[in-house]
Amino acid sequence: PIFVLIYAAFGGMKGVSLAVIVQGLVMTIAVLVLFFAAMGRLMPLEAAIRRIGQLDPKLISPWTWKPEYEFSMWVVFGLVTIGLPHGVLPTLTYKNTKAMRSAIVLGTVFVVLWTLMLIWMGNLTRALIPNLKVPDHAIPSLAMMVLPPWLTGVVLAGVAGAIQSTVGAMILVISAAIVRDAYLAFINPKATARQLKSVTQITTVAICAVVFL
C-alpha cells in the first residue's frame, strides 16, 4: 500500500506506468517459474487430467457453459475492457502511434502468456488438491505445494504486482475526476498548474488512505 501511495501520489501517470512495467516483468518471471515447477509435479498430464475428470467431468469439458455465456465473456474481457477508465488512462501516455502499436503487440503477447498459464494451472491444481474448496485459492495453494517457501513468497508477490498497478491507475482516475470535476469546476476555476499539482497530490494521498483503511 505504501509503494502504491508513493508512485501514484508523487509519480503521477509516469510513476504508475513505470510501476506497471516493473511489476509486469516480475509477474512474467513469477508465472514462468510457477508454471514449469507445476508441470514438473503434474507430469504426465494425461494422468492429471484423468484425475480431474473423475472428480467432475465438467472441469475438463468445453461445453460446461452455454455458448451465449461464453460469448459474453469474450466481449467483456476482449472488447469492453478498453472502456474501463483505468484501462484507457495509460494509453494517453503513448509517445506516438509507433509506440502505441508496439505496446499493443507486446501487451497481447504478455497477456496471452499470463492468461493461458495461470488459467491452465488453476484448472490442473485440482489434480494435486482434489478437495480445494475456494477456486481463488488455487494458484497460492499450488505455489505453496510445488515451490520452496521463500520462492513461493516471491512468486505470489509477483502475481500481486498486477493488482497493485491496477489499483494505482484506478486511484489516479478517481483523483483526476475529483480535481477536475469538483475543485477546478466549482472551487477554483482559475487554479494554476502548481496549485492543481498540489491539490492532486493531497487528493491522491487522501484517497489512498481511505481505500487502504
Side-chain angles (χ1 to χ4, degrees):
I2 295 175
F3 284 109
V4 174
L5 170 61
I6 292 172
Y7 67 67
F10 302 103
M13 195 60 243
K14 288 184 178 180
V16 172
S17 298
L18 181 59
V20 169
I21 293 172
V22 174
Q23 291 168 342
L25 291 174
V26 173
M27 180 179 173
T28 301
I29 295 171
V31 170
L32 288 171
V33 169
L34 180 58
F35 178 78
F36 287 110
M39 288 299 104
R41 185 73 175 268
L42 286 162
M43 297 296 280
L45 285 180
E46 181 180 352
I49 293 174
R50 286 185 182 278
R51 288 199 297 272
I52 297 172
Q54 291 172 355
L55 288 172
D56 186 353
K58 291 183 179 180
L59 293 173
I60 59 173
S61 171
W63 312 114
T64 299
W65 307 108
K66 294 181 179 180
E68 55 268 29
Y69 177 80
E70 291 192 12
F71 180 74
S72 71
M73 292 296 101
W74 298 340
V75 172
V76 169
F77 292 104
L79 299 176
V80 183
T81 303
I82 192 60
L84 296 175
H86 66 276
V88 173
L89 190 61
T91 65
L92 302 178
T93 63
Y94 291 142
K95 185 177 181 180
N96 49 43
T97 304
K98 183 179 179 180
M100 181 185 71
R101 290 174 178 170
S102 298
I104 291 172
V105 174
L106 287 173
T108 300
V109 171
F110 280 99
V111 170
V112 168
L113 185 70
W114 299 334
T115 303
L116 289 179
M117 288 188 173
L118 288 174
I119 291 179
W120 194 19
M121 285 189 291
N123 183 270
L124 288 173
T125 298
R126 288 283 187 178
L128 295 176
I129 313 175
N131 299 321
L132 185 68
K133 295 181 179 179
V134 182
D136 287 342
H137 293 171
I139 296 301
S141 300
L142 180 64
M144 288 187 286
M145 178 173 284
V146 303
L147 296 172
W150 67 271
L151 189 53
T152 298
V154 174
V155 167
L156 295 182
V159 175
I163 301 173
Q164 287 187 358
S165 59
T166 301
V167 170
M170 285 182 172
I171 288 174
L172 280 186
V173 170
I174 298 171
S175 177
I178 292 175
V179 172
R180 293 187 64 84
D181 298 338
Y183 178 79
L184 194 59
F186 300 104
I187 299 174
N188 189 4
K190 297 181 180 180
T192 63
R194 187 172 182 178
Q195 288 175 320
L196 287 177
K197 182 178 180 180
S198 298
V199 172
T200 299
Q201 289 179 341
I202 294 172
T203 304
T204 304
V205 170
I207 293 170
C208 286
V210 171
V211 169
F212 290 123
L213 284 176

